[in-house]
Structure formats: C-alpha cells, structure tokens
Amino acid sequence: MTDSCSVSSPRRTLSLSRKRRGSISFPEPKDRTSGFGLSGEHGPKPAEVYGFVGSITTVVATVVYLIWAYVPESLLHSAGIFYYPSRYWALALPTYFMVIVVLMLVFYIGINFMATPPPTSLTVMFDEYSREPQCLRPSALDDDQPIEPISDLGISRINDLMFKDTKNSQKAEL
C-alpha cells in the first residue's frame, strides 16, 4: 500500500483513496515490520524505568509541596490531614538550599584562588614537564630537514611573536 492518501497505524492500515473506497487491512500477528513493540531484548531498559519513576516522583512531590504550602489549614483539616510540618519550613527549606548553593560556589572559587600560584611565580611558566628547545644542525648532505622535537616556547619569544608588529605599527602612526 503505497498510496499517498494512506494512514499507517501499528494496528491497521486505512486507505483513504477513492480507488479502493476505504479498504482496511489487518497485518498478520507474526509480522513485526512496523517497529513497534518491545524494545531490545525483553522490556524497557533500567535507565528508562528510573527516569520514568523519577519524573513521576518529582511531579507528585511538587504537588504535595504546593498543597502543603498554599492550601489553608481549614481545608487540610476538613480533608482529614492534621499532622504536617510548620508553614515556616515551606519558605525556610528552599531559602536554606539556595544559600547553601551560593556559599558552595563562593567557597569553590575561593579555594581555586588560594591554590593558584601568583602571576609573578615562575611555576606559572615552568614546571617539571617543561622542555627547552634543542638546536638542530641541518646536515649539508640531505635536503630534508627533520621535524624539531616538541618543546616549550619562551615568554620572550611569545611576546616577540604577539607584540612585535604592534609596537612597530604604533611607532609608524606617531
């Protein structure tokens, strides 16, 4: 059924073309070409189940929290709910949580600043893995020059490469 006016469903295929006048065909139970059915081996994956349970739990917890925080006590008592935490905690817990998150970020940034060496320290530029460039003498017999080994560039070389043209262009403008 390759009509342009056919509707495909996992249970039946319905053709809406005028040639066939609404014929309905039911696939065989053994025919599983539609792609619907059980995923993979046998049933859903554990991650899918945990995600579904987690999303349902989140929705239920949010609804319970909103009922606890906003429904008047008289309605809760008429529904038979007499024991629940104080309304103070409806605002205090989220506020405490936000303050804890902000303080964690501040402490994390502060610890990183304390662990970072000052900019004037040589450990910023050199460490135990630093390599000095080696001078290779090209041989006169071969035209091929070998690739230089990996090494660190000195700070003076980097400054020359980055700022040499800038200094010359600024002097030319004056």
Side-chain angles (χ1 to χ4, degrees):
M1 303 215 57
T2 59
D3 292 340
S4 62
C5 296
S6 65
V7 178
S8 181
S9 160
R11 297 195 180 188
R12 64 181 181 198
T13 304
L14 175 62
S15 175
L16 302 175
S17 66
R18 293 184 183 184
K19 296 177 188 174
R20 296 191 179 202
R21 305 261 176 176
S23 64
I24 298 175
S25 64
F26 293 96
E28 294 292 325
K30 297 176 187 175
D31 185 24
R32 292 281 181 181
T33 59
S34 65
F36 294 98
L38 295 177
S39 65
E41 298 168 359
H42 295 288
K45 298 177 183 175
E48 295 171 353
V49 174
Y50 294 148
F52 177 73
V53 169
S55 65
I56 296 298
T57 304
T58 302
V59 169
V60 169
T62 303
V63 168
V64 167
Y65 171 77
L66 292 175
I67 289 173
W68 167 54
Y70 292 111
V71 173
E73 290 185 14
S74 60
L75 288 177
L76 291 175
H77 289 286
S78 66
I81 301 172
F82 296 101
Y83 181 75
Y84 48 87
S86 172
R87 300 287 170 104
Y88 165 80
W89 295 108
L91 292 176
L93 287 179
T95 305
Y96 289 158
F97 178 73
M98 288 187 291
V99 168
I100 287 172
V101 168
V102 169
L103 287 176
M104 284 174 42
L105 289 172
V106 168
F107 282 129
Y108 179 73
I109 293 170
I111 288 172
N112 281 332
F113 276 132
M114 289 184 349
T116 305
T120 57
S121 173
L122 290 178
T123 58
V124 174
M125 292 184 279
F126 303 107
D127 61 358
E128 65 268 12
Y129 301 106
S130 297
R131 294 184 183 183
E132 294 294 324
Q134 298 174 355
C135 295
L136 292 177
R137 297 180 199 141
S139 63
L141 301 175
D142 289 329
D143 290 334
D144 296 332
Q145 293 190 4
I147 298 173
E148 294 180 12
I150 295 175
S151 63
D152 293 329
L153 296 175
I155 191 72
S156 59
R157 175 79 174 134
I158 293 172
N159 286 337
D160 287 341
L161 291 173
M162 291 183 68
F163 304 115
K164 189 173 186 180
D165 294 333
T166 307
K167 290 179 183 177
N168 292 337
S169 65
Q170 286 176 355
K171 288 179 183 178
E173 289 176 3
L174 294 175

